[in-house]
RNA sequence: GGGGUUGUAGCUCAGUCGGUUAGAGUGCCAGCCUGUCACGCUGGAAGUCGCGGGUUCGAGCCCCGUCAGCCCCGCCA
């Protein structure tokens, strides 16, 4: 196939913008063949570009033989340049933005051909499996759905930059090659060639730098920055992700929150939603008590109820034991009203029980009020009085289903927090079109870590204690609240931040509380402690997860749908095959040895006569030292004397 | 680190109790077709049943191992 040159050919219009008003105009268009429909004497081509799709048409009776020959060659995803005249269609397509018109082709350039795509590029057919989509991401990204998501992402970034600029923020870039931090997630490390044995770490966030910029007096900082965490992935987590990172001087939590609320008010119109500020505030303790989660989905209004007291006199040992535990363990429950809930089948309840077990419960006690009255896994312990008391404690009326969990607050919150959402979704008790923002505030400052037998920072070690709880830091660390706040949207944590510690003394006592000694603190955070001692202003900030935010705005349930080139759940890029082995030369320069087992290839040569030296079978491998590519030895194999030649199998691109 | 699930034609999937030549839709190729837009009609090509081992007279199906995708728990200041 002969390709045409682009030459000076340029488009006069975008494909998606042509309308009846353009009829009669000669236009030049560029794009990809979305679909060619050859009806014999009539040929239609749907031409796609970034802005839309328009139909091209040619008639065999009027078109030149050269043009017809070219049109016969066009296949899906060919790159075309077209000259033609805009005409009103005989048969209009109301399902298409440009459906009133078509382009009568006068000239066609085939700028490039295309192999048959291995995955459908069309949104109308079922999409391919995700490994295929990731391997051929450049084709997958041609689909309207993904183009829409990524264009939305671009819009969100733009609105964000404009918003912060309008509010007098300064945009910074902070280092990608920085120091490993002892707290928090696992770091991605980068070896230093110049300093053998030493490593940079990729930033988990620009936390320290944005604080230092406050010490420098910039007062209002913004960065849309890439962050890296080497932890296992989820549908809403990638090893590298983007934060909208914000820091401000001389602020209270409400000041930071107000700025962020203003941004959300400007972002939601991008998807024709509107939210009003201020957003509700919910204390961490209440969030856990009512919703069993520190990121409650308020699209469901059902709350967890404490029904422990109802079982104080009960014959039901499991529940009564909790009632007698002086608050160590409690019985908590959820009430789902309605006929559908009240007629939940045994099978459905069994499935729910499996879910409860998955989240650490022993089983799922339930009470169901349906057409035939009460049915419950502990019915024999429920006389009429106990039943009435239970209904009152749950706030239950009419038909419906109640499920229970017993145990520590941590255990019951986990189970009921999950069941609340599952059942509400299954029973249609949630308005999924809503956007429910809220702030979860007053997080604990520290939490006890069993593994290390010490307290660790819930948020990060630079978070300021709540002013009312300052003295608790030394006396009762677990009870000390933090000036930390999370922005939650529809059950997702889309951002989190805090007021920071701004004096060296408080920062030192914080390090002390989490078991970082003075030497380690000096070694790891000396620059921060120094900075705090040179007139650091009170400051605080927040970071928003851009990927998650765009995911929710785009209405998709996976972060990969809003990232151009995402990684798999095993943190691998199927497009580039990263990560991959490097040459031994590269490793030598970095003074790095791997403990990965080396692979060897062994060849065997049979002798006709007995050689002088006989060695143990493994000597060939043993003598294969660092700098040798091959080694030979002799051995006895099935009574015969053989020569074994062993060679190390090099990694790809090895220069050894 | 653990659990669940998936892997069969380019793609999406079906494949019964272990039994003849592994099917469908779509895509692709060819021919026909003057108003299609998921074009239509006719015909055709197309398979390492993820990979390796085992059981069996016989394995897409059963067993063991392994690789990869997805989801979840742990983890993610």
């Amino acid at each position: 196939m002969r390709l045409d040159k682009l030459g000076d050919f340029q488009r006069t219009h975008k494909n998606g913008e042509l309308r009846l008003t353009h009829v009669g105009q000669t236009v030049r268009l560029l794009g990809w063949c979305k679909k060619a429909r050859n009806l014999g004497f009539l040929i239609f081509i749907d031409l796609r570009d970034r802005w839309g799709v328009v139909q091209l048409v040619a008639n065999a009776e009027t078109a030149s033989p050269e043009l017809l020959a070219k049109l016969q060659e066009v296949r899906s995803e060919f790159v075309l340049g077209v000259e033609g005249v805009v005409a009103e269609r005989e048969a209009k397509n109301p399902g298409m933005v440009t459906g009133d018109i078509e382009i009568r082709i006068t000239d066609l350039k085939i700028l490039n051909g295309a192999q048959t795509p291995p995955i459908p590029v069309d949104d109308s057919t079922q999409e391919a499996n995700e490994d295929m989509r990731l391997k051929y991401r450049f084709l997958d990204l041609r689909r309207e759905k993904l183009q829409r998501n990524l264009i939305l992402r671009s819009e969100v970034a733009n609105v964000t930059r404009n918003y912060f600029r309008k509010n007098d923020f300064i945009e910074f870039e902070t280092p990608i090659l920085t120091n490993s931090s002892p707290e928090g997630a696992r770091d991605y490390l980068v070896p230093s060639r110049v300093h053998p044995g030493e490593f940079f770490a990729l930033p988990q966030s620009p936390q320290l730098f944005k604080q230092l910029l406050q010490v420098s007096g910039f007062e209002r900082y913004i960065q849309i920055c890439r962050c890296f965490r080497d932890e296992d992935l989820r549908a809403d987590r990638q090893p590298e992700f983007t934060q909208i990172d914000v820091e401000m001087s001389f602020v209270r939590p409400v000041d930071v929150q107000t700025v962020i609320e203003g941004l959300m008010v400007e972002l939601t119109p991008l998807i024709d939603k509107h939210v009003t500020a201020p957003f509700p505030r919910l204390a961490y303790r209440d969030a856990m008590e009512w919703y069993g989660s520190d990121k409650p989905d308020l699209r469901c209004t059902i709350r967890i109820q404490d029904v422990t007291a109802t079982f104080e006199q009960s014959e039901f040992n499991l529940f009564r034991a909790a009632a007698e535990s002086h608050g160590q363990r409690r019985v908590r429950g959820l009430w789902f009203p309605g006929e559908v809930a009240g007629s939940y089948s045994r099978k459905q309840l069994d499935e729910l029980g499996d879910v409860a077990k998955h989240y650490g419960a022993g089983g799922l006690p339930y009470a169901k009020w349906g057409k035939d009255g009460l049915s419950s896994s502990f019915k024999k312990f429920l006389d009429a009085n106990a039943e009435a008391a239970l209904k009152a404690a749950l706030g239950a009326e009419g038909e419906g289903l109640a499920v229970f969990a017993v145990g520590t607050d941590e255990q019951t919150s986990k189970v009921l927090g999950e069941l609340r959402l599952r059942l509400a979704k299954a029973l249609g008790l949630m308005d999924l079109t809503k956007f429910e923002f809220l702030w979860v505030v007053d997080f604990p400052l520290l939490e006890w870590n069993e593994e290390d037998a010490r307290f660790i920072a819930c948020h990060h070690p630079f978070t300021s204690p709540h002013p009312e709880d300052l003295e608790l830091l030394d006396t009762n660390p677990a009870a000390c609240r933090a000036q930390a706040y999370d922005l939650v949207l529809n059950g997702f944590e889309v951002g989190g931040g805090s007021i920071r510690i701004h004096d060296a003394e408080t920062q030192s006592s914080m390090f002390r509380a989490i078991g970082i000694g003075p030497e380690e603190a000096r070694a790891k955070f000396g620059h921060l402690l120094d900075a705090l001692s040179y007139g650091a202003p009170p400051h605080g900030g927040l970071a928003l997860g851009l990927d998650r935010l765009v995911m929710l705005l785009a209405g998709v349930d996976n972060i990969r749908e809003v990232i151009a080139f995402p990684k798999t759940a095993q943190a691998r890029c199927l497009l580039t095959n990263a990560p991959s082995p490097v040459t031994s030369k590269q490793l030598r320069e970095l003074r790095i040895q791997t403990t990965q087992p080396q692979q060897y290839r062994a060849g065997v040569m049979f002798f006709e006569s007995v050689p002088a030296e006989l060695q143990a079978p493994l000597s060939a491998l043993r003598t294969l030292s660092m700098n040798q590519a091959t080694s030979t030895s002799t051995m006895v194999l099935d009574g015969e004397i053989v020569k074994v030649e062993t060679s190390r199998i090099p990694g790809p691109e090895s220069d050894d």
Side-chain angles (χ1 to χ4, degrees), chain A residues 2 39 41 74 98 193 205 301 388 407 466 468 545 553 611 643:
Chain A
R2 216 175 131 254
L39 277 64
F41 277 77
V74 173
T98 58
R193 174 184 57 82
S205 84
T301 55
H466 200 286
E468 293 166 17
L553 290 170
K643 179 183 175 191

Side-chain angles (χ1 to χ4, degrees), chain A residues 32 79 133 215-216 237 375 381 431 458 486 565 573 592:
Chain A
W32 286 260
V79 186
R133 292 179 53 207
V215 179
S216 301
R237 290 191 336 220
S375 123
F381 303 119
D431 183 351
C458 284
D486 276 1
F565 299 104
C573 173
I592 287 179

Side-chain angles (χ1 to χ4, degrees), chain A residues 430-480:
Chain A
M430 275 171 92
D431 183 351
L432 296 175
T433 65
K434 276 188 171 173
F435 262 48
E436 293 284 358
F437 280 104
L438 78 146
W439 292 100
V440 176
V441 301
D442 292 342
F443 278 83
L445 184 69
L446 305 166
E447 65 183 331
W448 182 252
N449 181 289
E450 286 292 344
E451 197 179 318
D452 298 346
R454 66 175 181 103
F455 282 102
I456 57 173
C458 284
H459 187 51
H460 58 55
F462 320 113
T463 304
S464 169
H466 200 286
E468 293 166 17
D469 297 352
L470 211 48
E471 71 284 359
L472 290 174
L473 188 53
D474 288 320
T475 57
N476 185 7
C480 186

Side-chain angles (χ1 to χ4, degrees), chain A residues 482-504:
Chain A
Q483 287 198 81
Y485 34 83
D486 276 1
L487 179 64
V488 174
L489 168 59
N490 293 352
F492 286 87
E493 179 199 329
V494 294
S498 64
I499 300 300
R500 327 297 185 189
I501 296 168
H502 71 277
D503 65 289

Side-chain angles (χ1 to χ4, degrees), chain A residues 28 65 67 79 205 226 299 351 375 415 417 442 469 505 515 542:
Chain A
R28 291 181 157 197
L67 177 58
V79 186
S205 84
R226 198 66 64 85
R299 293 176 301 175
E351 284 167 5
S375 123
V415 173
D442 292 342
D469 297 352
E505 192 184 332
L542 166 143

Side-chain angles (χ1 to χ4, degrees), chain A residues 524-595:
Chain A
K524 291 288 182 186
F525 302 112
H527 50 294
L528 177 72
L529 291 170
D530 274 350
L532 296 183
S533 71
Y534 285 103
H539 62 286
L542 166 143
L544 295 164
L546 177 66
D547 314 86
R548 247 181 231 176
L549 187 59
V550 175
M551 171 182 97
L552 293 167
L553 290 170
V556 296
D557 56 11
N558 195 301
I559 204 174
R560 292 184 298 272
E561 300 297 309
V562 298
I563 297 174
F565 299 104
K567 294 185 173 51
T568 67
Q570 300 304 315
R572 185 175 282 285
C573 173
L574 295 182
L575 180 69
T576 63
N577 277 324
S580 57
V582 295
T583 66
S584 31
K585 182 180 179 218
Q586 287 173 294
L587 291 179
R588 271 203 308 277
E589 282 185 336
L590 296 167
R591 309 283 213 281
I592 287 179
Q593 278 188 317
T594 66
T595 57

